[in-house]
Amino acid sequence: MFQINENYQKLPGSYLFSTIAKKVAAFTQENPEKSIIRLGIGDVTQPLAPAITDAMHKAVDEMGSAETFHGYAPDLGYEFLRKAIAENDYRARGCDIAEDEIFVSDGAKSDSANIQEIFAAESRIAVCDPVYPVYVDSNVMAGRTGTYDAKTERWSDVIYMPCTAENGFVPEFPKETPDLIYLCLPNNPTGTTLTRDQLQKWVDYANQAGAVILYDGAYEAYISEADVAHSIYECKGAKTCAIELKSFSKNAGFTGVRLGYTVVPKELKCNGISLNGMWARRHGTKFNGAPYIVQRAGEAVYSAEGKAQLKEQVAYYMKNAAVIKQGLKECGYTVFGGVNAPYIWLKTPGGMTSWEFFDHLLEKAGVVGTPGSGFGPSGEGYFRLTAFGSYENTAAAVERIKKL
């Protein structure tokens, strides 16, 4: 008789944002007259920039002609896109990243979940707490996390690095030595980040410990402070200890288009075996490439017009972040983030749990956010609001919260 992967049965409940969607749907069905403002899931709301849609239209026309039709994409991605990425995201910042170290994909979420496949099953992972839940969940599915304690909301074999108000939401080196270290910077959900000097210490630590940093830079475009690195490869020695994952979702609005990439340097090796070669083999076996039309759209992100238009979009969302942060402060909330990331991280009022505040905000104000506990045990007592809504909805949501 066939057997299932029992590790899936270890996962507590459903995926965080699926749970939120179900709760909101149930509330809406029971209260159809109430309007809902969604500041929960980190989905963008502004349309694709004109430079991007122009490139997509042109690519669609190419696909309609036999002479310019494109089928399967190259394993690593089209050269025109990898070249643009290498030049603009790396060489322009002094990072020596070659085109064949860049692997184009359909987004950072899938890459961050799949990258663990090239590492040994007994590898110990270290994660910031709180953090994006996919890192832990994907390792649960792989059987790498041990047993789950519902009381502490912790996995026995996961090394947690608490990021709390006491340490400025900045991870500290773990007491146990990990094999894989997940860093999401700027951080989702807290919106905080590390300075370049702080990040350099993590690179030095990883090289000394023989660990690999899995560096999620999905929110890099929102960095506003000069002393914050836009890539981990700005740090000396990062090419021998770090894999970087990037997304077009938040910087260019590709949440519904799907495009991302992962950088695996050729210097990154384990006992002489190249992780670049391993990821290339996995990528070629399990992925057929992002569509030609989408990759042409990605190339347009790096055009002069694309850069200017996307700079305006990022500023739009960060204006929303400032509105949320200032409005909550005026209400007496303790708030963090909103400087280098489009997320506001707030302390729940009156000793409410994260889910109690979720229900309170939904039922009394018609505003949807994300409970902090969904990002890890240290997220309990906190709540995340996203700045990715429209300005009008964002301002309206703040006004509703002020009236609570």
Side-chain angles (χ1 to χ4, degrees):
M1 182 177 177
F2 71 88
Q3 300 292 319
I4 62 171
N5 181 347
E6 292 288 350
N7 294 311
Y8 279 68
Q9 304 308 304
K10 298 178 182 178
L11 289 164
S14 61
Y15 181 56
L16 171 63
F17 296 105
S18 298
T19 302
I20 291 173
K22 290 175 183 176
K23 288 177 73 73
V24 174
F27 178 82
T28 301
Q29 187 173 5
E30 294 174 5
N31 304 273
E33 76 286 354
K34 293 189 177 181
S35 66
I36 302 296
I37 299 177
R38 301 171 189 268
L39 300 182
I41 189 170
D43 195 2
V44 296
T45 55
Q46 293 301 293
L48 294 172
I52 293 169
T53 55
D54 288 347
M56 293 180 78
H57 282 298
K58 183 179 178 181
V60 168
D61 289 339
E62 290 181 42
M63 295 295 281
S65 172
E67 291 74 22
T68 52
F69 173 79
H70 290 78
Y72 290 126
D75 283 355
L76 273 66
Y78 285 100
E79 184 179 0
F80 61 77
L81 178 56
R82 291 185 290 110
K83 183 177 181 180
I85 292 169
E87 185 60 40
N88 290 275
D89 288 349
Y90 295 103
R91 291 172 193 153
R93 297 185 177 122
C95 306
D96 182 23
I97 297 297
E99 283 89 340
D100 60 358
E101 294 175 311
I102 298 168
F103 298 81
V104 176
S105 72
D106 60 353
K109 179 179 181 179
S110 52
D111 280 356
S112 63
N114 294 329
I115 195 69
Q116 51 80 25
E117 289 186 17
I118 66 174
F119 297 99
E122 61 271 18
S123 299
R124 292 291 304 279
I125 69 166
V127 296
C128 295
D129 173 30
V131 81
Y132 187 44
V134 170
Y135 309 148
V136 173
D137 287 0
S138 59
N139 279 283
V140 173
M141 295 172 180
R144 197 177 279 123
T145 56
T147 57
Y148 183 70
D149 186 333
K151 291 184 179 179
T152 62
E153 297 183 321
R154 291 173 178 264
W155 293 91
S156 61
D157 292 347
V158 172
I159 300 170
Y160 291 90
M161 301 181 291
C163 298
T164 64
E166 288 69 30
N167 62 16
F169 300 103
V170 172
E172 299 172 0
F173 297 138
K175 294 180 175 61
E176 300 176 78
T177 302
D179 300 300
L180 308 176
I181 304 168
Y182 287 83
L183 292 180
C184 176
L185 298 168
N187 182 260
N188 174 17
T190 65
T192 54
T193 191
L194 301 178
T195 66
R196 188 175 285 101
D197 288 343
Q198 287 174 318
L199 185 58
Q200 180 65 61
K201 291 178 181 177
W202 275 97
V203 169
D204 295 341
Y205 169 82
N207 275 318
Q208 184 177 16
V212 172
I213 296 174
L214 303 174
Y215 189 83
D216 186 345
Y219 300 94
E220 168 273 320
Y222 294 86
I223 293 172
S224 63
E225 296 179 317
D227 63 344
V228 177
H230 287 257
S231 167
I232 195 168
Y233 301 118
E234 293 178 38
C235 296
K236 185 179 180 181
K239 292 182 72 176
T240 57
C241 72
I243 292 174
E244 185 162 277
L245 306 101
K246 287 286 188 72
S247 169
F248 287 77
S249 287
K250 308 302 164 61
N251 68 321
F254 278 38
T255 55
V257 178
R258 308 309 304 150
L259 189 66
Y261 66 87
T262 291
V263 176
V264 186
K266 282 173 281 191
E267 288 95 323
L268 183 54
K269 297 180 180 180
C270 177
N271 297 323
I273 298 174
S274 167
L275 270 65
N276 178 281
M278 290 182 67
W279 186 242
R281 186 67 173 86
R282 192 267 175 205
H283 206 63
T285 300
K286 293 191 175 185
F287 184 63
N288 263 341
Y292 172 75
I293 296 166
V294 174
Q295 293 199 44
R296 280 297 185 189
E299 180 188 32
V301 167
Y302 299 102
S303 67
E305 297 84 358
K307 288 178 180 179
Q309 291 162 8
L310 294 178
K311 185 177 180 180
E312 291 181 5
Q313 276 197 2
V314 167
Y316 178 94
Y317 291 130
M318 291 308 289
K319 180 182 178 181
N320 288 350
V323 167
I324 298 171
K325 190 169 188 176
Q326 182 59 37
L328 292 178
K329 280 186 174 181
E330 291 174 2
C331 297
Y333 286 90
T334 301
V335 294
F336 308 90
V339 177
N340 293 300
Y343 292 125
I344 301 299
W345 187 242
L346 63 113
K347 189 170 180 59
T348 57
M352 287 186 187
T353 68
S354 297
W355 280 106
E356 285 173 346
F357 187 65
F358 173 90
D359 292 335
H360 176 70
L361 210 58
L362 175 61
E363 294 168 6
K364 303 298 182 182
V367 175
V368 177
T370 308
S373 60
F375 297 99
S378 291
E380 182 54 85
Y382 288 89
F383 202 77
R384 191 193 77 174
L385 292 173
T386 171
F388 283 124
S390 68
Y391 176 78
E392 293 75 17
N393 280 347
T394 300
V398 172
E399 290 304 312
R400 291 184 185 186
I401 295 173
K402 285 182 177 181
K403 294 177 182 178
L404 290 176

